[in-house]
Structure formats: structure tokens, C-alpha cells
Amino acid sequence: MDDKLAAKLRTLADAAKYDASCASSGAPKRSAGVDGLGSTSNGICHAYTPDGRCISLLKILLTNYCLFDCAYCINRRSSNVKRARFTVDEVVSLTVNFYKRNYIEGLFLSSGIIRSPDYTMEQMMLVAKKLRREQGFAGYIHLKTIPEASPWLIEQAGRWADRLSINVELPTEQSLKELAPEKNGATIATAMGQIKERITEAKEDKRRFSPAGQSTQIIVGADTTTDASVLQTTSSLYKNYALRRVYYAAFSPIPEASAILPLKPPPLQRENRLYQADWLLRFYGFTPEEISSGGDNGMLDLEVDPKLAWALKNRHRFPLDVNTADREMLLRVPGLGVRAIDRIMTVRRHTTLRLADVARLTSGVKRLLPFLITLDHHPTKLSDRQDLRRLLVAPPRQASLF
Amino acid sequence: MELQRVSLDKGADLIGFRKAVRGLVARKVPPDGVIWNAGGETDFFGTVIDEDAPPISLSRALGTMVDQVICHRDPQRYAMLYRLIWRVLQGERALLDIASDPLVHALEMMRKSVRRDLHKMHAFLRFRQTADPDGAERYVAWFEPDDYIVEATSNFFIERYRGLRWSILTPVGSLHWDREKLVIGPPGQRSDAPESDAFEAAWRSYYESTFNPARVNTKMMRTEMPKKYWLNLPETQAIPDLVRSAPARVREMIARGAAMPVKRNPDRAVAAMAQQEPQSLAELNNLIAASEPLVPGADHAVLGEGPEGAAICFVGEQPGDQEDIEGHPFVGPAGQVLLGELTALGIDRGDVYLTNAVKHFKFEQRGKRRIHRSPSTGEVKHYRWWLMKELSFVRPRLVVALGATAALALTGKPVSVTKARGERLLGDWPGYVTVHPAYLLRLPDEAAKQQALMDFRADLEKIKALAA
């Protein structure tokens, strides 16, 4: 690969790295045709960078020139960052060559806005179309969709992509107005609504339109929104747009920062707690209000995970008997995950569980001790201890290097 | 009973294990009565297994468990699997459901470990490009799996790289694919694989650039990508430098603080963004013509026709066979019915605007014939934005929906023609709903056809009056 292209790759990968979504799962099962290339999987991470994040897709921007001026973004038009632009063919060739060497599961393409949202979206769509049509590429394609682009471009993009996503970026309309002047909450909502409708219709017709669904990203820590409010937004996003995932990106200090946003370390633990809360919303039957009630003043407890935080504030509901409690209630027990509970429900039909049995079904035994009764474990004394929280809080970790 | 000794081949000897299990079960040998030798050496004291012992039937779940655990490197795997099979055959039918049973749990952990090994092989194997003696490109990888998974992994790589020639070399065996056939070969050596690849530098650049120095978390990285794999992952050479320089990079970033823009604001370009939508019917038509069909069938669009500012706009369903061939709307049999009736009312083709809800002919090829297929609701909606935009340029006094598809396209909601027939608002447009002329052609009963035609004529007269 020539040096000029390599330099572009550096610039445009660097510019794309603040988007957290990297999933390559959820696409229908496909495999390469006779002369084709690629297949889909349940999500494979081909490498991990020292920030602990996985590389599953080639995550790049088509260009980081941008006419928008979003304060949190390194590529905003007022930033002095170095700029570059790939041609459609360069992205196609890079994707194919990386894929052939088993570096990636596919492409995650995003872009700064050049000329117009329509023009940009069309270029991105062309990349996906060329990969599918000319390269017989059956791997994963995720297109970051530009909500300001005309609806017909979304209609087209969904044909080639496995996933479309539109970032809501900021959890409230107010923050969006302040930090992303060219963006508009209503436009974003309309485009997400359009995608949702098309996905549902295509599923009914057994046609292909963004078969791995749509996702979004919320930046956390760039404004003053509370976790409670973020979770409310998330919950209504899942309900209204049938999103597959909401990603949370702790606002990270960027080079060439804007003056409106203070430079401070990213709130990584907060991001982590929000992901845990997100899981509780989707798989554990928690409401956003219940999760928020585990913390204080609308912020999640940073010391303990949100499920444990809720349990500690609702101690009158525990301990539960692992051999008789309903599935819905077991889902509330700290230390028990969905899979462990599914197994417990099956095993319960054949035998009565002891603590050692439970220990073989989950790795979270330490946390569940005060909350769960088994044939040989009755934690009444432990459950009633005043200092239970202190017992369960993990010893403080070494502070990060700031 | 005397101890039975069973010798199996090295690796995942599924055939040998199956045969042994049949023989042992036939002779009612309990698990404690067997010594398993998985080393691949011939055991001179080994028991000769009856070649013709009857097959035993195992549940699918149990079969899958055997297939997967047998790949595990633990020499105890055969004994454990036989114990599991024995207990199931002795009456513990639901044993696999009892995940808390120590044996089931132990086997489940082994299965998990095999799956993880497979997953890591799918993830961390790196191909390097080389050439076959005939000049054709070949991709070769060296990988060291923990378990006996080389054969188990072949389908994954075939499905993914069917169109390439590739070889995977490991210390326990090799796979070679020539785009048609898989050959399982002897163990290879690291030195048999190419030493470098033209894209490795680019890959490493990508790896370095996608790393965010403000979020260092090497523990997470090591958990997911253990060091034992690093030797075969070219990008990991970058890790020490990335980790070492990260704190300084972040400190420098923070110290530099906010930056003032050095370029002036591109006000004109920003303002021009608002003008992105097509500014004329011709521009819109160019867009439609250049786009991919959103229905299966034709490869080109049939655009609307007629003067901008026409008093009446007729919206049909989609172009048919004839329209698709000629490239004009309403030139097929149904179109001729409509235009014939309009002529009788003194309206020429050139006086009205004619278009369709869906701009491409959706059909199914049957031999030489192209059979019309009605577009689904979702497909109609794919085209809605174009129709709305088209109407905004034509600005007719009256929009006529010919049939249910057109009414759906105009309103965005399903509309029953029988119920909605007549004058009504279609979206923002004063409109009129009537049947599609193709409906008149399809009626088999002559009397009914005459009646329908009379009704259609009456509609067209009202339409003419409304648009006047």
C-alpha cells in the first residue's frame, strides 16, 4: 500500500475511533458464493487495542472534512485537525484486502458532511453497493446514516447495509441545540422512525433492509444530563424505534478541543454503569425509574453495579428461595445472570439446588450469598447486617493514570 | 470383570470413540471398567473391539456434546464422555438438563473451552498472501490452537473464503483449500508460512490509529486477547509503544487546551447545504433514473410524464411489461383504457400528468414471460418520498389515485378503494380515488365489466369537473 493511502488511513481511522459501536452480529447467516468473499458470524473480535476495545470492523470515515460544527467532535469544521478523504474505490479495496487476511468482519463506514448530507450519504452508499455488487462481498457492513440526508437515500442504503445507525449524540434536545447547532432532534427522530418502519416491513416481506437492525450512540459526560435522564431517553428509544443497541460513549478529551467543552478524563466508570443499566432495561425487566432509584440524585452508584445498588435499597424483598422463586424475581438477584437463571429453571424440575449446585451455574456466587436461599444456605443473619453494603463493595482499585 | 483397554488415535478420534462406545455398551462394560488410551500409540494389551456391535441411539444434544468435547486436549475426555453416555443409557435420561451435576458441569466447561478456542482461531488467525507455482494468489496462515479443532474449523474458513485459495498450517495438521476441495494434510511449521504481507503495515497503522490513549485498559485487552496469541498477531508489536506513550499523549492534549480555529468559517458552503434537495422535476427525475430499483425485477425506472402545472395528475400502481419496454407510463393495455376514456371526454394525453406510485416494474420471470407482481406496502413506501416530491413540482389541482396502491402511496396508509371511492383529500392534495383501469380488464363477466366501465366513466367526468 502506498504511503499516501497509509497516511489517509491513519487520519481517517483516528477520526472514526470515538464511535463506540463495533458489533458485527445480528446479520442473517450468509456465506461466500463461488467467487465471492465473506460470511457473517455471531460477532468476532479480531483484535483488541490497549484501550480494551475490540476491533471487529474496519471503522473509518470516508472523509473527516465536515461542514457541521458539533462541539464534542474532533472533526467539526472549526477544528484544526488534519483532513483527508478516501475515494469510494479506496475504501472498497481496503475493506477487501483487510478482510482477505482475516483482520476484520467487515466495514463500519461513517463520514463528515461534505458538500451536503445527500452527497455524502450517496458516496457512503456507493461504497456498500460496490462491495456487494462488484466484489460479491458477503461480510458485515454498518453504515452510519446521516439523518439530514433525504429519505430516499436511507431507502437505498438499507438494501446494502446489515446495520444502519443514527447517533442521537446527546440525551436531550437542549444539549443538542447548544453543542450541535446543525443537528435537530426532530430530524433524527424522523429518520430513525423511517428506518424502523422499513425494517419491520421488510421483515414481513422477507426482503433485506438493514437486517441487523439499527443502533445509536449517546455521548455521556459532555453535558450535565443525569443518568436517570439518559436511561429515560434510552428506554424510550428502545420502545419507539425497536433499536438493537444503544451505545454510550464516555466523552473523551480530544485533540483540538473546543472551548465550550472542558478537557477532563472520560467518565469510564459511569459509562460502564450505564451499560450495566442498559442490560437491566433490556433483559431483566427493570424500569428506568427502578434503576435510577438505586443511586442518588439521578446518578448511578459508581461503587456497585446497578442491580446490586437496587437490591441494597430493596432489602425487604430478599432473600429469595432459588428453588421456588419466580423467574422474574430471580432476575433481580445480584450475581445471577439470564443464562444462569434459565439453567436454574431447568435444573429445578429435576432436583433441589444446594449452594454448591448454584456455584456451578453462575460465577457470581459471592454477590448472591445475602440474597438467595438454597437447600443448605439460609442467609437471614447476613441479609440483616447493617454493614452489608460495605461487605459487598469491591476494595477500591488503583486510580487511573491521571 | 477384567479391565478393558481402548486405544484411540491422537487428536479428536470421533470414529474410534464411537466404535469403542458401541462395543463397550454391547458388552455392558461400566465406566470404571475401561482404561482409555488417547495417545495414538498401539496398545498391545488393548482390547479388540467388536466391529459389528449395534449402533446406539443418543439424543441430538448428547451427540453434539460428544462432537465438541472430543476436540478438547484433556486426555480424560473420553472417559468422562463414556461415563456421561453410560449414565444416560442407565436411565438418567434428563442428565444433560441438570447443568449443576458435577460431571455435566465439567463437560460443559470443556465444551466452553473448545468453543472459545475455535472462536479465538476464527478471530486471531492471520493470512499472508503468497503465490502458488502457477502464479495464482494463495493466502497462508500459521496458527497454534490449544485443542484438536483444526478439522472442526474448516467449514468456517471455507464459507468465508470460498473464492480464495488458502492454507492453514498448525502443529497438529493442516488444511488446504483450492476453491473446490478441502485437503487435510500433515502438521506444518511456522517457517512454512510467508514471513510478511504487503498489507501488514497498513493493518498496524489502523490498529495504532484506532486506539484511544485516553482510555487505556490493558487488563481488558489481555483478558480477551491473551499473550499466548500475540506471537502470530503482527499488530501486537505496536502494543508496548502505545501503552508507554499514552499518558504523555493525553497530558499533552490537555495541556494544549482548547484551540482557536485557524481557518475562516465556510459560511457559503454551510448555507449551500440547505439546497441539497432536487430543485426541479428534471433533477428529481435524474435522481430516480440513477437509483437502484427497490423492487425485484426491472433495472430501469419509468418516469412520470406530462406538463408541470397540469390540472390533473393520475397516479397508477407501477409500470407494466409494456411500459417497462417502451419506457413510458400508461402505454400498456390498462393505460390505453384510461387514455381512451379521457379522449372521449376531450382530454389529451399531453394535458394531464401521468405517473406511478412505484417507479420500477416488479415482476417474476417465468420462462420468457414476465409476470407482474404487486408491490408490498413496504415497497410502496420506499418510493413515497419521490412521489411526494414529484407532486410538489407538478402542483396539480387534483390528484387521482388509480387503485389501492396509488391511494396507499399518496396517503401513507392502507385505503380501501370501495370505501374511499370518490372525492377526498389525499395527503395534502385535493384528490379523487377510483379503480385502476387494469381492474376493468380483469373482470371476467361481461355485464359486470360494462357496469364497472360506466362507473369509471362517471368518475372521470367528476374528475374533469373538479379539476376545471
Side-chain angles (χ1 to χ4, degrees), chain B residues 189-212:
Chain B
Q189 286 179 1
R190 182 195 302 280
S191 54
D192 298 340
E195 275 176 17
S196 61
D197 182 281
F199 269 82
E200 253 161 41
W203 169 237
R204 187 171 153 174
S205 298
Y206 175 71
Y207 182 84
E208 290 168 354
S209 309
T210 199
F211 160 68
N212 183 348

Side-chain angles (χ1 to χ4, degrees), chain A residues 87-314:
Chain A
T87 64
V88 168
D89 288 333
E90 282 168 347
V91 178
V92 169
S93 145
L94 205 52
T95 307
V96 165
N97 276 304
F98 274 17
Y99 197 92
K100 281 181 175 173
R101 287 156 178 81
N102 204 39
Y103 298 161
I104 52 169
E105 285 296 290
L107 174 68
F108 176 8
L109 188 63
S110 184
S111 183
I113 312 286
I114 37 167
R115 231 186 279 182
S116 72
D118 273 10
Y119 174 78
T120 313
M121 190 67 219
E122 193 171 14
Q123 293 291 304
M124 290 166 66
M125 190 188 76
L126 275 177
V127 171
K129 183 169 147 185
K130 277 205 163 180
L131 276 169
R132 297 280 192 234
R133 273 276 168 84
E134 291 174 16
Q135 305 290 329
F137 182 69
Y140 195 90
I141 300 180
H142 178 165
L143 291 183
K144 183 60 62 184
T145 311
I146 302 170
E148 294 78 15
S150 299
W152 70 272
L153 285 159
I154 292 180
E155 309 288 355
Q156 308 252 319
R159 292 197 39 170
W160 314 110
D162 286 299
R163 172 168 286 183
L164 297 178
S165 66
I166 296 176
N167 286 358
V168 301
E169 307 289 16
L170 295 163
T172 66
E173 182 69 37
Q174 186 57 34
S175 305
L176 203 59
K177 231 181 233 157
E178 284 164 18
L179 300 180
E182 281 82 15
K183 287 183 184 271
N184 172 315
T187 310
I188 293 174
T190 309
M192 287 172 84
Q194 184 195 357
I195 294 176
K196 181 212 165 182
E197 228 182 272
R198 294 303 165 273
I199 291 174
T200 317
E201 288 158 359
K203 235 174 227 155
E204 278 166 18
D205 292 356
K206 299 199 165 65
R207 284 183 293 120
R208 191 159 128 185
F209 186 93
S210 188
Q214 66 168 326
S215 63
T216 193
Q217 171 168 294
I218 300 178
I219 299 170
V220 181
D223 62 355
T224 55
T225 313
T226 60
D227 291 339
S229 161
V230 171
L231 289 173
Q232 281 295 351
T233 303
T234 297
S235 163
S236 56
L237 283 171
Y238 280 129
K239 261 191 219 124
N240 299 338
Y241 305 108
L243 295 187
R244 283 292 179 88
R245 283 291 297 276
V246 173
Y247 289 91
Y248 306 91
F251 175 66
S252 173
I254 47 173
E256 307 297 339
S258 148
I260 349 181
L261 288 174
L263 279 165
K264 51 187 178 193
L268 294 180
Q269 186 64 317
R270 185 177 171 201
E271 178 191 284
N272 183 27
R273 293 290 177 238
L274 280 169
Y275 274 115
Q276 290 170 327
D278 185 272
W279 242 256
L280 296 184
L281 281 178
R282 286 189 294 151
F283 306 116
Y284 291 81
F286 280 79
T287 63
E289 293 79 14
E290 282 175 319
I291 300 170
S292 313
S293 75
D296 288 309
N297 303 323
M299 296 306 277
L300 295 174
D301 194 327
L302 291 181
E303 270 186 344
V304 294
D305 69 81
K307 197 182 189 188
L308 182 55
W310 180 85
L312 286 169
K313 287 205 176 172
N314 292 274

Side-chain angles (χ1 to χ4, degrees), chain B residues 2 18 54-55 69 75 94 132 136 139 174 179 199 203 242 249 292 307 315 325 364 372 399 439 442 449 454:
Chain B
E2 192 192 336
R18 264 203 206 123
V69 171
D132 277 351
Y139 291 83
S174 56
R179 293 168 45 106
F199 269 82
W203 169 237
L242 290 177
R249 282 171 73 188
E292 286 291 318
V315 182
I325 292 166
E364 200 178 290
H372 164 278
V399 178
Y439 164 76
R442 279 198 305 267
K449 194 179 258 181
M454 298 297 281

Side-chain angles (χ1 to χ4, degrees), chain B residues 74-101:
Chain B
D74 187 341
Q76 292 300 311
R77 64 192 181 281
Y78 293 116
M80 290 166 75
L81 284 170
Y82 183 57
R83 191 173 292 277
L84 181 78
I85 294 170
W86 178 261
R87 281 174 63 187
V88 170
L89 293 177
Q90 290 297 303
E92 289 184 69
R93 293 261 154 225
L95 182 55
L96 270 187
D97 280 349
I98 306 174
S100 57
D101 179 275

